[in-house]
């Protein structure tokens, strides 16, 4: 390992203060790891996300491509990062829009080259229009100047890369993972790759996605601090939601309280749209309407995550509107709680995602058998009530990138068992159809009793060298703690 690579790794594991965010030195260290993974005969080109149009002249709020953000902190559209690890003079170039008063009076200030240099740690900042000329100069062994005019008789911009081209060893790395459907339009990066391929058939093309995936699945100390903040704010939002559930009459009131808690806590916004689901709505996994009536006997499920400096949390609580579980609601909640406890216990370095999933199915199966909702503890029967994965990485994306094999220290993961009782779906399922008559009538009886109950409990956990660290403890999780909190909130709320 080179000394600079060792320094980069040391920097990424040093603890920092969340308020400081990610330093330009850390971005440089991340790029150094990528550069060392792709090697000196390579060029990497990474584009900013395209602004997304909602309809007509209305755009969605802009969100940078996560990998570009991870390597630079740059939030500008129309920008691109180029890495040339074998070229000491131009090893890193950021192409970005230049300041433009005419444009800025419509869409806000564009950062200056000095600001981009300071924020990203990239020495060479060039205008966005220069990208194609630069790439052509690199691939064709020509000179290049930021002004875009070729310099006669000047040296090639990337001499050692040109040498690799001559030897037939050059590689162009792009983020190409998103495969389009066979009959769909090509995403812009693949169109770009196709154009380069046609023009430079001697050059190999490589997908940089696995390199970024390998880096991002383990969080750096700075990322962890940002995630702790996102998770903490989300915990406050869960507490606000539980308090309000004592009196709220519509899901949208709770939805509003969650957004308010995010802003008060210093988050910009949500990391994914909140799910606020009362009663049987909680049995729809991606329920987003958030506008139904809440009745006092309902359970309310809030699956939410604040975004703090680009990082999201992902925490779910399910609690009774009114503060007391019915016997049936509590039985289902206890079942999910036990499954979650058992899975969190084995969220340890060296264990696999497969083992976590198997544990969840095994414990949920035992519990569903106890509830009478299944007749044998078999994954196929369990899947009638638990029909999503046990968890995922969390980070810049709520379902963050990762290899999903063995757990390693520094991973932040969500663990989210659930039971969703949808009587009509179960009765219509092939699994139910295969049961014997006596089994069917037993299950049908239990379905009558628990129909419409949906419970998910989701927590964010840091995998360590030892016991997992439970990051989202702030909001009560067990039925007893939830009832205690909610009824304490009732007692302590001021008289109307
Ligand atoms: N909120 C999305 C999920 O729980 O995976
Ligand atoms: Mn989740
Ligand atoms: Mn969630």
């Amino acid at each position: 390992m080179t000394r600079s690579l060792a320094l980069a790794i040391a920097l990424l594991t040093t603890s920092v203060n969340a308020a400081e965010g990610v330093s330009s030195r850390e971005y440089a260290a991340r790029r150094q790891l990528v550069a060392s993974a792709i090697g000196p005969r390579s060029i990497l080109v990474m584009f900013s996300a395209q602004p997304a149009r909602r309809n007509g002249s209305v755009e969605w709020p802009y969100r940078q491509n996560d990998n570009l953000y991870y390597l630079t902190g740059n939030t500008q559209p129309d920008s691109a990062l180029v890495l040339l690890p074998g070229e000491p003079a131009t090893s890193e170039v950021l192409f970005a829009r230049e300041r433009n008063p005419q444009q800025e009076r419509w869409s806000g200030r564009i950062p200056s080259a000095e600001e981009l240099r300071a924020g990203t740690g990239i020495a060479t900042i060039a205008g966005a229009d220069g990208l194609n000329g630069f790439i052509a100069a690199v691939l064709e062994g020509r000179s290049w100047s930021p002004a875009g005019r070729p310099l006669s008789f000047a040296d090639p911009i990337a001499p050692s890369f040109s040498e690799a081209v001559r030897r037939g060893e050059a590689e162009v790395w792009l983020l190409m993972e998103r495969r389009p459907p066979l009959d769909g339009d090509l995403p812009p990066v693949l169109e770009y790759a196709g154009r380069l391929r046609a023009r430079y058939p001697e050059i190999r093309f490589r997908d940089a996605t696995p390199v970024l995936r390998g880096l991002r699945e383990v969080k750096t100390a700075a990322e962890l601090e940002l995630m702790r903040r996102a998770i903490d704010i989300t915990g406050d939002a869960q507490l606000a939601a539980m308090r309000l559930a004592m009196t709220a009459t519509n899901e949208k009131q709770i939805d509003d309280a969650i957004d308010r808690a995010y802003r008060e806590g210093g988050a910009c916004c949500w990391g994914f749209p909140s799910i606020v689901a009362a009663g049987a709505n909680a049995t729809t996994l991606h329920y987003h309407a958030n506008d139904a009536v809440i009745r006092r006997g309902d359970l309310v499920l809030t699956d939410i995550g604040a975004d703090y400096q680009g990082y999201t949390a992902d925490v779910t609580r399910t609690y009774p509107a009114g503060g007391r579980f019915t016997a049936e609601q509590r039985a289902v909640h206890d079942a999910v709680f036990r499954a979650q406890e058992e899975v969190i216990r084995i969220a340890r370095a060296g264990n696999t995602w497969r083992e976590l999933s198997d544990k969840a199915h095994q414990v949920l199966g035992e519990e569903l058998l106890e509830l009478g909702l299944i007749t044998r503890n078999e994954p196929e029967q369990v899947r009638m009530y638990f029909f999503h994965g046990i968890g995922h990485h969390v980070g810049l994306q709520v379902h963050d990138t990762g290899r999903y094999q063995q757990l390693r220290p520094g991973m932040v993961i969500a663990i989210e068992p659930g039971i969703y009782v949808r009587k009509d779906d179960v009765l219509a399922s092939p699994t139910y159809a295969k049961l014997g008559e006596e089994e069917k009538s037993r299950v049908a009886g239990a379905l009558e009793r628990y129909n419409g109950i949906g419970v998910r409990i989701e927590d964010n956990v840091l995998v360590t060298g030892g016991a997992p660290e439970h990051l989202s403890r702030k909001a009560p999780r067990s039925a007893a703690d939830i009832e205690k909190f909610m009824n304490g909130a009732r007692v302590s709320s001021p008289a109307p």
Side-chain angles (χ1 to χ4, degrees), residues 113-162:
E114 291 70 36
E115 288 165 326
L116 289 173
R117 203 170 284 123
T120 63
I122 297 173
T124 309
I125 309 290
D129 295 346
L131 176 68
N132 287 337
F134 179 85
I135 299 297
V138 169
L139 295 179
E140 294 166 18
R142 290 191 277 105
S143 66
W144 178 83
S145 83
R149 275 183 297 281
L151 306 174
S152 318
F153 310 117
D155 290 335
I157 181 76
S160 62
F161 184 82
S162 302

Side-chain angles (χ1 to χ4, degrees), residues 459-479:
D459 280 83
N460 301 157
V461 166
L462 171 66
V463 181
T464 73
E469 183 182 341
H470 193 152
L471 300 173
S472 47
R473 280 186 312 260
K474 191 168 209 174
R477 213 158 51 90
S478 70

